Amino acid sequence: DAGVPPTVHTYTTVISAWARGGEGDRALELFERMEAAGVHANEWTFSAAIGACQKTGRVARGMRLYDEMRAKGLRPNTVTYSSLISLCEKGRHGERAVQLYRQMQDEGVVPNVVTYGALISTCAKCAMWEEAERVWGEMRRAGIAPNNTVASAMIGAYAAAAKWDAAEQVFVEMRTLGPACQPNLVTFSATISACGKAGRWERATELFREICAAGIAPDTSACNALMSSLERSARWREAGALMTRMLRRGPAPDVVTYNALISACAKGGRWRLALDVAKWMDRAVPPVAKDVVTYSALISAFAAAGMWEKAAETFEEVQRAGLRADTVVYSALVSAYEKGGQWERATEAFRDMKAAGVAPNTVTYTALISACKTSGRWSEAWELLEEMKREGVRPNVATYNALMRTFMASGQWDAATRVYEEMRAAAGVTPSTYVFHAAVEAFHQMGNVKEAELAFGNMVAAGVNPRVSSYVAVIEACCSTGRLQDALERLEEMRMAGLSANDAVYRSLIRACHDSGRWEKALELVREMKSLKMVVDEETRQALVGVFEKAGQWNLADEFKPSALPSLPRNTLGYNELITQCESGGRWEQAVALFEGMKAAGVPPDTRTFNALIQACGKGGRWEIAMDAFKDMKAIGVKPDEVTFDALVHACEKGGRLELAAEYKEMSTSLWSPHLA
């Protein structure tokens, strides 16, 4: 009103105030009017304008202002550089941020705690944890005490690089760095998230409790960090308890919270609970809108239960909701069809995915390859592997496992060994225990004992501990070619590794003793079997009689003739011992025969009897008989326990009855544990 024109100082003050007050666009507009009015900006004006760009996320505009500032011969100050580095964070220009930081030092401009925090945060978002660590060290050596914002950024950088121990070390160190660096809610959330990504859900829970004990009200971000930690470890009970706490005390859960809980339920095989949680979203006030992550988690829950029809219905809901199905949703659908044995539908969904312009990833291809196993289409599995390579999609361990299982199930030993060789040649992929074992078995089936032993040696050299079944395969390979001494050496290695040989190993060795006339060794082995309470089957018994008779050891031969075998037990404990031995040895037929004999003799079965019988039938792929045993169990009033339900779940899953398996999982446990409530 007085007609006094504003000075550069006036403009700078207002631009800075508007930028700090969240009116960045207005601040930048004033900067343009200032230039048009013939008032020349100084370094503080440019710094304020670049700060406005940083607040509004205008990365390119901010960089242009910096270039203009340099062109006018103005020297950037600490505030300018800090704002520019923050701009780089928004644009994920990590290398540019480091370049600005080094240029700043070269010009003698001293970084402050804001500069360091912005640079570490930028490096964290750009997967440059080594650079973040280097800057963190430089800050400490410069005598600048970090605040909790900088420390939180460093924790985030370590977490993004899977450096969990280093992340927690920074968290612990914070408590010694003075009041400004004490952990706050952001720091706790970052550390909880780091623990969750490392699979350390117990530690994440402890940190959450520390927040509450300190009188700090956890916000949605902190709760989501813990919920995601629990989801990663499939801790659905604890995740449910956390949701209950949030609904009772706050803060209000958001879509991320609900999605993580649904995913936790899916991973825990609780599809009904996952569906209930999705319904809670609709009943929330205000309702929480589902997104593609919600639907993909639900589809995964149905997939795990073998409910491909429900998965398909949920996929249709995605389309009705006007959402665009992404790679994760399509991959979950293909997996649902695979688990439901619907190879044609899985293939159709795969084609639809590509037609919609959605690129399949490793998970999609792996699920479709697994579908080939259930339908016996091993040649299509190989074609899919070749397609992956052409499309630049890199197979992972799960992909190779699926291929190996497909070829092993189809008896394609040569193809299985090719997968093993290709996996060994692939950069950054180490064959899994299963692949190594399957390779040993495949080479054995091909009669290539040398390669079987070489694969076994490669397994040990790779630091993969052989399983009992791996030793069984290589011992059987040696025995089948008359190399008893080599087989016995493998048995000794097995014992030195702390593994107990099963009856399959002893049977193979005793038959090899029969072929080579080693009756003393056969006697030693059968005595070991008896000391381990293993059942001597008919084939092994005949081999023992033969080797003893051939050596003229008539008394020993008579011990193993049918007339010399011990009588059946007379009590429940004795039958339980025998049925358990049959279960351990994979002889479900003998277990069933013993159970029938037990009933005929009037000996009452107990929970242990039924558990061993159901486990034996499950291992033998006879889920129907396992179900009949469970019905008998309930009919005579024998109470099932957790072992019973686990055995039923395993039997149903092995028999492809995933919906039944899911029902038994639901029967086995209650809804939520009181762990966090």
Side-chain angles (χ1 to χ4, degrees):
D1 292 339
V4 178
T7 65
V8 65
H9 176 72
T10 311
Y11 277 109
T12 302
T13 302
V14 176
I15 290 169
S16 180
W18 282 347
R20 287 197 303 270
E23 296 184 86
D25 290 335
R26 192 178 179 190
L28 290 171
E29 183 183 343
L30 181 59
F31 180 82
E32 296 297 334
R33 292 212 314 266
M34 170 187 170
E35 291 287 304
V39 180
H40 299 295
N42 60 21
E43 64 268 26
W44 294 105
T45 322
F46 272 105
S47 294
I50 290 171
C53 292
Q54 184 260 321
K55 296 289 185 183
T56 56
R58 295 170 178 262
V59 180
R61 177 80 176 275
M63 292 301 170
R64 283 199 304 272
L65 286 172
Y66 169 68
D67 292 337
E68 186 180 334
M69 182 181 186
R70 303 290 299 194
K72 291 185 176 183
L74 297 174
R75 186 170 182 264
N77 56 30
T78 303
V79 175
T80 318
Y81 277 112
S82 298
S83 296
L84 286 165
I85 291 171
S86 290
L87 270 175
C88 290
E89 178 187 353
K90 293 182 183 297
R92 296 185 182 274
H93 302 309
E95 297 293 341
R96 177 66 168 145
V98 173
Q99 182 185 4
L100 286 165
Y101 170 66
R102 298 301 175 197
Q103 185 175 333
M104 176 184 190
Q105 291 177 311
D106 292 342
E107 293 177 358
V109 181
V110 180
N112 62 14
V113 69
V114 177
T115 318
Y116 284 114
L119 182 55
I120 290 172
S121 185
T122 303
C123 291
K125 288 191 176 179
C126 297
M128 297 168 62
W129 72 269
E130 289 114 325
E131 190 63 44
E133 185 177 61
R134 191 157 33 248
V135 173
W136 171 265
E138 289 178 14
M139 178 182 65
R140 303 298 304 281
R141 287 190 294 276
I144 297 177
N147 57 25
N148 46 33
T149 303
V150 181
S152 297
M154 192 63 238
I155 290 170
Y158 279 134
K163 303 291 180 182
W164 322 119
D165 293 335
E168 187 153 10
Q169 184 179 347
V170 173
F171 177 80
V172 172
E173 188 181 358
M174 288 178 70
R175 300 180 189 275
T176 68
L177 296 177
C181 201
Q182 292 307 297
N184 60 8
L185 198 52
V186 174
T187 319
F188 272 107
S189 299
T191 311
I192 288 170
S193 180
C195 291
K197 290 175 182 176
R200 297 165 59 187
W201 68 270
E202 299 97 333
R203 177 57 178 152
T205 303
E206 287 175 13
L207 290 169
F208 187 82
R209 288 199 182 113
E210 280 189 41
I211 297 175
C212 301
I216 304 171
D219 61 6
T220 304
S221 177
C223 291
N224 285 350
L226 179 58
M227 187 69 82
S228 296
S229 299
L230 297 170
E231 179 269 332
R232 285 176 182 271
S233 298
R235 305 300 302 187
W236 59 273
R237 292 186 185 89
E238 290 80 2
L242 176 59
M243 176 65 84
T244 302
R245 183 190 190 283
M246 293 176 71
L247 292 172
R248 288 177 180 171
R249 308 181 196 174
D254 61 11
V255 66
V256 175
T257 324
Y258 283 106
N259 288 348
L261 179 54
I262 291 170
S263 182
C265 293
K267 289 181 178 179
R270 267 63 188 180
W271 66 268
R272 286 192 179 90
L273 299 184
L275 193 56
D276 285 342
V277 175
K279 291 175 182 176
W280 296 353
M281 297 175 75
D282 298 327
R283 295 197 293 265
V285 181
V288 178
K290 301 181 183 72
D291 59 15
V292 288
V293 178
T294 317
Y295 287 110
S296 65
L298 283 171
I299 293 171
S300 295
F302 295 133
M307 301 171 66
W308 62 268
E309 298 97 331
K310 290 289 291 181
E313 289 173 13
T314 306
F315 181 78
E316 290 174 3
E317 285 185 41
V318 176
Q319 297 173 315
R320 286 197 297 271
L323 298 171
R324 186 175 186 271
D326 60 8
T327 302
V328 177
V329 173
Y330 273 110
S331 297
L333 180 63
V334 172
S335 181
Y337 286 138
E338 173 262 315
K339 288 181 170 61
Q342 301 294 314
W343 181 83
E344 293 85 356
R345 293 178 188 273
T347 304
E348 183 180 355
F350 184 74
R351 284 197 297 264
D352 291 345
M353 177 183 189
K354 292 195 287 186
V358 180
N361 62 8
T362 304
V363 175
T364 326
Y365 278 105
T366 301
L368 194 55
I369 289 169
S370 295
C372 293
K373 170 185 174 291
T374 56
S375 60
R377 290 175 166 83
W378 65 270
S379 59
E380 284 87 342
W382 194 267
E383 289 171 9
L384 284 167
L385 176 64
E386 295 302 319
E387 181 181 321
M388 285 183 78
K389 295 174 186 175
R390 289 194 303 271
E391 297 296 327
V393 181
R394 187 177 179 183
N396 61 13
V397 174
T399 314
Y400 286 112
N401 281 353
L403 283 163
M404 186 66 95
R405 292 182 192 280
T406 299
F407 297 139
M408 293 296 288
S410 301
Q412 299 297 321
W413 316 122
D414 182 62
T417 58
R418 284 169 61 195
V419 169
Y420 164 70
E421 296 295 351
E422 180 168 321
M423 193 174 186
R424 287 193 66 222
V429 181
T430 301
S432 63
T433 302
Y434 169 74
V435 169
F436 272 121
H437 165 66
V440 173
E441 175 66 22
F443 283 124
H444 168 45
Q445 292 291 342
M446 293 170 67
N448 195 333
V449 177
K450 181 179 177 182
E451 288 297 331
E453 290 192 282
L454 184 60
F456 186 89
N458 288 334
M459 183 194 320
V460 175
V464 177
N465 294 324
R467 300 177 300 187
V468 171
S469 52
S470 303
Y471 277 105
V472 171
V474 77
I475 287 172
E476 286 184 347
C478 293
C479 289
S480 67
T481 53
R483 295 167 56 210
L484 176 60
Q485 192 55 44
D486 290 340
L488 291 170
E489 288 176 7
R490 292 296 186 192
L491 176 63
E492 189 58 33
E493 290 174 15
M494 187 177 182
R495 289 167 174 162
M496 289 174 66
L499 298 175
S500 299
N502 61 16
D503 48 3
V505 170
Y506 283 100
R507 288 199 299 270
S508 293
L509 289 168
I510 288 171
R511 287 195 295 271
C513 288
H514 171 271
D515 296 339
S516 60
R518 295 279 299 276
W519 70 269
E520 299 97 333
K521 179 54 71 173
L523 180 61
E524 179 186 327
L525 290 166
V526 75
R527 283 175 176 167
E528 285 183 25
M529 286 185 75
K530 288 184 175 181
S531 70
L532 295 170
K533 297 183 179 179
M534 292 181 179
V535 175
V536 179
D537 67 355
E538 179 63 20
E539 187 178 354
T540 307
R541 186 187 62 74
Q542 290 178 5
L544 287 163
V545 171
V547 72
F548 292 142
E549 286 183 343
K550 191 184 294 183
Q553 300 295 322
W554 309 111
N555 291 335
L556 289 173
D558 289 342
E559 285 183 27
F560 291 94
K561 290 180 179 177
S563 59
L565 295 177
S567 59
L568 290 173
R570 298 180 180 179
N571 56 31
T572 303
L573 182 62
Y575 273 104
N576 285 353
E577 288 289 333
L578 287 177
I579 294 173
T580 300
Q581 290 171 22
C582 291
E583 181 268 322
S584 299
R587 298 185 299 279
W588 68 270
E589 300 98 329
Q590 290 183 31
V592 172
L594 283 167
F595 180 72
E596 294 300 328
M598 185 179 188
K599 290 195 293 185
V603 179
D606 60 10
T607 302
R608 185 184 169 198
T609 316
F610 281 106
N611 287 350
L613 178 60
I614 292 169
Q615 287 172 328
C617 293
K619 286 184 178 179
R622 302 308 298 264
W623 66 272
E624 307 99 322
I625 300 176
M627 297 302 101
D628 290 340
F630 183 59
K631 290 175 185 174
D632 290 346
M633 186 180 192
K634 292 192 292 184
I636 64 175
V638 176
K639 188 176 180 181
D641 59 13
E642 189 173 347
V643 176
T644 316
F645 286 110
D646 285 345
L648 287 166
V649 169
H650 173 77
C652 291
E653 287 180 341
K654 188 162 185 178
R657 306 291 295 185
L658 300 183
E659 190 167 350
L660 266 177
E663 289 180 13
Y664 285 121
K665 282 182 182 178
E666 294 285 343
M667 293 168 64
S668 66
T669 52
S670 58
L671 181 57
W672 311 124
S673 78
H675 187 66
L676 280 168

